């Protein structure tokens, strides 16, 4: 997990106007993130809109990112769901040689108990040939993986090496950081509190905004990890308004408009998601224009 400390980015999937996967734009997003200095890439997380992608499209995205990355950075693959056996079967049959870890979301829709969440991840742990990053995002799953459950999993299974904690609750993250095993990592899944979480002892972030502003955001996290508080805070406070903007009308609609403004990719999303409205688009455009002040 040492290689996964710092800034990872949850890659969005660019689409063309006809809603097909835009391979050339995806390659540009990958290169832009790598050239900007991020530490690793996350494929097929929530930001990728994988909920509205076919199996073949997901495979296309995976192979495109592997090829574009060309071994430069560690890769993390999203492998999760609310059907435990289906996730286990995928882990047993998929070739994971290109990946440093999987990112596995807590079961959604079913709303399991804490014991159910524990048993779900136990089954995944027993099936996975590579390290596992738990993913807690109650706003999407309808259930919260409590610190006691995270710590139980972290202490009992050596291949469960980290959590992407996206409850938006710094106190909850600190409870995990306080009592976690030495080699277990707490990674922010919330861009707005990524830096405070690092200051509290977290290991970095799996970011959305980081792929739109990779140079600045990854530098902020590195400064935070090195306890350069004033310099890190300067970047954090500069980006606060933009972080709010990119999530204001849903993810990844906001970050896709950042790509559009930067000329990297179109701002096309698939229903039921829609593009940001004209007012928000203009505000994002204005922020992108002034972001070069940090360069």
């Amino acid at each position: 997990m040492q290689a996964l400390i710092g800034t990872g980015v949850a890659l969005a999937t660019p689409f063309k106007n006809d809603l097909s996967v835009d391979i050339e734009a995806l390659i540009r997003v990958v290169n832009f993130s790598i050239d900007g200095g991020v530490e690793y890439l996350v494929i097929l997380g929530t930001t990728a809109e994988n909920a509205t992608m076919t199996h073949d499209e997901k495979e296309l995205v995976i192979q495109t990112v592997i090829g574009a990355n060309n071994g430069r950075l560690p890769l993390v693959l999203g492998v999760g769901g609310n059907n435990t056996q289906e996730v286990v079967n995928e882990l047993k049959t998929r070739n994971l040689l290109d990946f440093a870890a999987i990112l596995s979301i807590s079961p959604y829709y079913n709303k399991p108990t804490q014991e159910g969440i524990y048993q779900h991840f136990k089954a995944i742990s027993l099936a996975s040939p590579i390290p596992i990053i738990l993913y807690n995002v109650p706003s999407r799953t309808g259930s919260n993986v409590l610190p006691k459950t995270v710590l139980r999993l972290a202490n009992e299974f050596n291949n469960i090496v980290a959590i992407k904690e996206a409850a938006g609750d710094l106190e909850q993250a600190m409870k995990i950081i306080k009592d976690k095993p030495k080699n277990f990592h707490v990674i922010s899944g919330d861009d707005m509190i990524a830096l405070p979480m690092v200051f509290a002892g977290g290991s970095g972030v799996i970011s959305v905004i980081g792929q739109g502003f990779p140079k600045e955001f990854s530098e902020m996290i590195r400064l935070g990890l090195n306890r350069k508080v004033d310099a890190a805070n300067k970047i954090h406070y500069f980006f606060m308004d933009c972080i709010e903007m990119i999530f204001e009308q849903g993810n990844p609609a906001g970050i896709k408009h950042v790509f559009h403004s930067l000329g990297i990719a179109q701002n096309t999303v698939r229903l039921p998601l829609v593009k940001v409205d004209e007012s928000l688009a203009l505000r994002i455009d204005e922020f992108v224009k002034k972001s070069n002040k940090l360069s």
Side-chain angles (χ1 to χ4, degrees), residues 78-90:
V79 182
N82 62 343
N83 182 337
T84 306
Q85 191 58 51
E86 186 176 308
V87 178
V88 166
N89 290 342
E90 180 173 359

Side-chain angles (χ1 to χ4, degrees), residues 84 107 112-122:
T84 306
T113 64
Q114 294 301 301
E115 181 63 24
I117 292 170
Y118 167 83
Q119 293 295 339
H120 173 83
F121 283 119
K122 176 182 178 180

Side-chain angles (χ1 to χ4, degrees), residues 109-178:
Y109 189 76
N110 314 64
K111 298 183 73 173
T113 64
Q114 294 301 301
E115 181 63 24
I117 292 170
Y118 167 83
Q119 293 295 339
H120 173 83
F121 283 119
K122 176 182 178 180
I124 289 173
S125 172
L126 295 176
S128 180
I130 62 173
I132 299 160
I133 302 171
L134 309 176
Y135 181 17
N136 183 37
V137 55
S139 64
R140 290 188 180 273
T141 64
S143 59
N144 186 18
V145 187
L146 297 177
K148 65 178 183 180
T149 304
V150 176
L151 295 169
R152 183 183 177 192
L153 289 162
N155 281 300
E156 293 186 18
F157 302 101
N158 290 334
N159 62 343
I160 296 180
V161 298
I163 183 169
K164 178 185 176 184
E165 178 51 67
D169 185 339
L170 187 57
E171 181 180 349
Q172 176 165 299
M174 291 172 71
K175 287 179 180 178
I176 301 170
I177 293 167
K178 172 179 172 288

